[in-house]
């Protein structure tokens, strides 16, 4: 390797971002720029985050089915790190566009087509090229849920028991690769999340039982670089609607968006939020 | 023990039934009478199955909170076997009536208040008195799901794979005492049943994905005498509404009500139903 391919002084280092939707890639892009790094952004046609173009030093919008193109851009960019952030809608895109050879070969190699499996395969191919796939939280440590009671209200001893019970159940459910979230009450499972998502799970629990405890954890089988469980203001709003009392998150291994606003809303209605360090 | 408390000739043997709601206790009562036995029925106020009074040789309707009374009736009846059949709505009754001493002591001894735990405790107390708690299926073997493909349509090889995958997931979920039913597709879990019940789980799966496989199993932690998973005509109707393709049940350890009608409806719409012998 010649010195031109590895940057010597930190500030000139280039960071690449493969961006999906939502605020996550945007927050990441800002954090990278704030750290004084050069930023390359790759987004996908039809789900592009156009504000990112303004922050990026280099910006590409490609069809999601052009994985060969993506690898080529990364290689030519000489970025040393790449992060994947934001939700990428795969199904629609894959049905409507013609994939390149690299995409077809990647798709054929997959054992399952779960999001996590796809992202893992993508990361593997990128790392084969010598570009390190990092977690976006490397530049956004403040997004990680801190440990401890995060609201003014504290959990009761019965709620603490349910948090412990819920953690054990959620971890076991995660181990089966089902979902990240369970709702419990009095050591009984009220609802389990699978494909429907956390908000729908919380709302369903609300129709079945009140004053429950929501537990959302990191799945043991997940890759922490691109699949951390995440909550935000909307989670608290769903909890209010469903009359849920407690939200327990995995400290250090979950993303908490709009934390200040979410916790202030939780405080207003007396909801308890805790970050639990696991293992 | 004197001979008066144990019947010598089979036909005069008395069978007791603690009856909840639905067709199950009714089918049981008919089967007991058909077997030439004497039938004692105990039902609960507000949820009584009055047609049962006509079939019973002895009929009692008591408040659900009078467990002491229930034990007394059983003891005096000299029944040697008792079965619990049909759904008993516990919550409402417990909130509205005054419990007797025996009920309070039973309630206090419970570690959890899951249905299964309550029924187990009730069965234990009854057996202490020397009355054997039997499965209603002893008199209704035809209700048990048989092994094999029960419909005209057979599962595809992809569906067979999903049945096997779904069985493993459902057993693991059951092991956690969460629920009996999961909906899967392409080795992915679409929905998991907890408190909402099987029909709601099937309908939810339908909003998330089509052409799925429903798997309903016996929970390893259950007591097969009073908590077998059950399906019926309504299950097939929910599947049609949700565009589910396959129903896999545990052969020998699940109840299939209205089987003829249900299978004929399944055949009409091309649904596959299979009974799988487990382990």
């Amino acid at each position: 390797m010649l010195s031109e391919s590895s940057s010597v002084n930190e500030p000139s280092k280039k960071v690449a971002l493969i961006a999906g939707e939502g605020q996550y890639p945007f927050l990441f892009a800002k954090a990278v720029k704030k750290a004084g790094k050069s930023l390359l952004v790759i987004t996908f046609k039809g789900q592009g985050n156009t504000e990112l173009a303004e922050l990026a030093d280099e910006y590409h919008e490609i069809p999601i089915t052009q994985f060969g193109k993506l690898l080529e851009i990364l290689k030519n960019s000489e970025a040393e790190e790449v992060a994947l952030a934001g939700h990428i809608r795969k199904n629609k895109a894959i049905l409507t566009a013609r994939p390149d050879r690299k995409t077809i070969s990647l798709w054929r190699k997959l054992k399952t087509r779960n999001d996590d499996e796809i992202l893992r395969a993508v990361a593997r191919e990128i790392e084969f090229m010598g570009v390190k796939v990092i977690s976006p939280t490397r530049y956004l440590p403040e997004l990680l849920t801190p440990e401890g009671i995060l609201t003014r209200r504290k959990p009761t001893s019965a709620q603490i028991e349910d948090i412990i019970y819920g953690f054990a159940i959620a971890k076991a459910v995660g181990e089966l690769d089902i979902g990240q979230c369970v709702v419990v009450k009095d050591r009984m499972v009220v609802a389990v999340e699978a494909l429907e998502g956390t908000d729908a799970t919380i709302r369903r629990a609300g129709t079945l039982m009140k004053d429950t405890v929501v537990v959302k954890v990191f799945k043991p089988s997940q890759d922490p670089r691109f699949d951390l469980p995440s909550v935000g203001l909307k989670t608290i709003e769903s909890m209010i609607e469903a009359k849920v009392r407690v939200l327990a998150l995995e400290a250090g291994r979950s993303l908490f968006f709009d934390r200040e606003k979410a916790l202030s809303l939780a405080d207003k209605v007396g909801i308890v939020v805790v970050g639990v360090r696991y293992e």
Side-chain angles (χ1 to χ4, degrees), chain A:
Chain A
M1 296 283 151
L2 296 172
S3 64
E4 59 171 16
S5 70
S6 64
S7 48
V8 196
N9 55 345
E10 271 280 301
S12 72
K13 207 159 139 189
K14 184 180 275 183
V15 177
L17 163 65
I18 301 172
E21 294 175 316
Q23 59 172 312
Y24 195 24
F26 195 69
L27 293 173
F28 177 79
K30 282 204 288 191
V32 166
K33 290 309 296 176
K34 203 176 157 198
K37 314 266 166 150
S38 174
L39 175 70
L40 161 72
V41 171
I42 303 173
T43 62
F44 300 107
K45 281 218 162 65
Q47 33 191 315
N49 218 324
T50 45
E51 304 97 316
L52 286 172
E54 287 160 36
L55 285 163
D57 297 287
E58 200 184 324
Y59 180 85
H60 297 268
E61 199 177 292
I62 62 168
I64 197 171
T65 49
Q66 304 290 306
F67 184 53
K69 177 84 183 160
L70 185 145
L71 292 179
E72 197 189 302
I73 293 169
L74 276 180
K75 196 188 226 163
N76 294 337
S77 77
E78 288 170 5
E80 286 155 36
E81 294 178 333
V82 58
L84 293 90
H87 183 66
I88 295 165
R89 279 176 289 129
K90 62 171 199 279
N91 288 336
K92 215 171 166 186
I94 285 164
L95 288 171
T96 52
R98 225 160 285 140
D100 66 6
R101 264 183 39 225
K102 197 79 198 166
T103 309
I104 293 171
S105 106
L106 180 86
W107 197 248
R108 286 200 178 135
K109 269 190 261 174
L110 292 172
K111 260 196 292 187
T112 77
R113 274 85 195 250
N114 291 332
D115 287 358
D116 202 46
E117 191 62 33
I118 297 171
L119 290 171
R120 227 184 275 260
V122 166
R124 223 161 19 225
E125 297 274 344
I126 291 172
E127 295 208 316
F128 272 141
M129 283 187 348
V131 182
K132 196 169 158 46
V133 178
I134 61 163
S135 168
T137 58
R138 171 95 50 102
Y139 289 89
L140 290 165
E142 69 275 17
L143 274 191
L144 293 171
T145 305
E147 192 175 356
I149 299 168
L150 310 178
T151 44
R152 279 204 296 266
R153 187 185 284 257
K154 291 168 177 46
T156 64
S157 60
Q159 286 168 344
I160 290 171
E161 267 184 44
D162 274 349
I163 291 169
I164 294 166
Y165 173 69
F167 249 79
I169 294 285
K171 283 287 178 181
V173 163
E175 204 101 50
L176 298 168
D177 203 13
I178 295 176
Q180 302 175 321
C181 165
V182 298
V183 184
V184 299
K185 159 100 184 195
D186 294 342
R187 305 187 118 257
M188 192 170 64
V189 181
V190 179
V192 174
E193 174 186 342
L195 259 199
E196 71 277 33
T198 299
D199 287 317
T201 306
I202 291 172
R203 285 195 300 270
R204 175 168 79 254
T207 66
L208 298 163
M209 204 163 270
K210 277 171 195 168
D211 303 334
T212 54
V213 172
V214 172
V215 179
K216 192 164 183 178
V217 306
F218 176 74
K219 284 199 278 182
S221 61
Q222 279 172 260
D223 189 319
R225 291 174 302 173
F226 35 71
D227 205 15
L228 288 181
S230 69
V231 297
L233 192 56
K234 217 174 134 223
T235 314
I236 304 292
E237 286 167 353
S238 298
M239 288 174 63
I240 293 172
E241 192 189 319
K243 296 194 177 12
V244 173
R245 287 295 180 92
V246 179
L247 172 63
L249 301 166
E250 188 156 348
R253 288 200 286 193
S254 61
L255 302 174
F256 202 147
F257 291 103
D258 297 313
R259 193 155 89 220
E260 215 171 303
K261 274 188 209 163
L263 291 178
S264 126
L265 177 60
D267 277 334
K268 203 150 70 182
V269 295
I271 279 176
V272 177
V273 181
V274 291
V276 179
R277 183 72 57 181
Y278 192 78
E279 125 247 70

